[in-house]
Amino acid sequence: MRLEKFRGIIPAFYACYDDQGDISEARTNALCDYLYEKKVNGVYVGGSSGECIYQNLDERKAVLSYVANRLKGKMTLIAHVGAPSTRDSIELAKHAAALGYDALSAIPPIYFKLPDSSVYKYWNEIIEATPLDFIIYNIPQTTGYTLTTSLFEKLLANPKVIGVKNSSMPTMDIERFKRVGGDNVVVFNGPDEQYVAGRIMGADGGIGGTYAAMPELFLQANEFFLQGKFEEAKRIQSHINDIIIALCSLNGSMYAVIKEVLNRRGVNIGSVRGPLEGISNEDMGRIDNIITMIDEATQQFCK
Ligand SMILES: CC(=O)N[C@H](C=O)[C@@H](O)[C@H](O)[C@H](O)CO
Ligand SMILES: CC(=O)C(=O)O
């Protein structure tokens, strides 16, 4: 029951900037409203897709506040509070708890390669700082740190640890984490390119960086999965993967491309922060093709 609200399709929330590149409350609200209308199950705020790594503490706190003010009580809210220092992570965690977020989440420590003992201590200090539930974020391809099942099991001894968002590529990792935690934990599929496979291997839902670019497709793939219509789910996944490959094929960062897709749908959330690259004039001419791919797949599969 307590974990029910963490199932389904949870888009990773994007950084919403004004034309000067500063955090924009109005544009954050616009993205909140868009996702609410699409009926997604929740949002994951301030993670990779939220460009957290390029924002200072005050900016990250502001984003957490704006989203909570707009969406609290309307969907599940997860705050990503991982920051380079434990101290900053705890400050963000306390801020999110005061705002009424449903759960916290954090990547492992970045930059220095630290032993498991330090990673364990880092996560635990965040967990102990608030009464909120906690979701571990395993994303080895960006952090260089791989969560083992044994550390996961050790962390689960704390009842506030309710699951893991697993972004490693082997779907077997999802199966192993689920095996360790059983029905008492939620495992989120990370790689959007294998959402359906992740569900079949035991994921309870997903948190993804491309969901907000095509929410209907992920919601429908999830629906087909729940209905046992695996052929249909697999066919949507193939279209999703064509679209993700297209989103990643331009010169600008995938997030810049997604933001331009949203802009052409009437949701202007600005561009990305350096060192991520914005989109070039050449890219601009290719956005409509991607929108067509999304729209055609949506028409084909979603009622
Ligand atoms: C490495 C990475 O950023 N993974 C994200 C989260 O798990 C995914 O949602 C990707 O954004 C998505 O699968 C597109 O490659
Ligand atoms: C899921 C994802 O992309 C994020 O951490 O924001």
Side-chain angles (χ1 to χ4, degrees), residues 137 139 141 165 167 190-193 208-210 244 254-255:
Y137 192 171
I139 182 161
Q141 60 272 59
K165 162 173 161 32
S167 294
D192 303 359
E193 296 86 342
T210 69
I244 295 177
M254 179 187 83
Y255 299 121

Side-chain angles (χ1 to χ4, degrees), residues 166-208:
N166 187 65
S167 294
S168 69
M169 290 310 284
T171 50
M172 180 186 170
D173 293 349
I174 287 171
E175 182 275 329
R176 286 291 93 187
F177 290 137
K178 198 66 193 175
R179 185 83 175 131
V180 168
D183 292 337
N184 298 324
V185 307
V186 276
V187 178
F188 296 94
N189 180 78
D192 303 359
E193 296 86 342
Q194 52 199 44
Y195 177 76
V196 172
R199 286 290 260 149
I200 289 171
M201 290 297 266
D204 300 278
I207 295 169

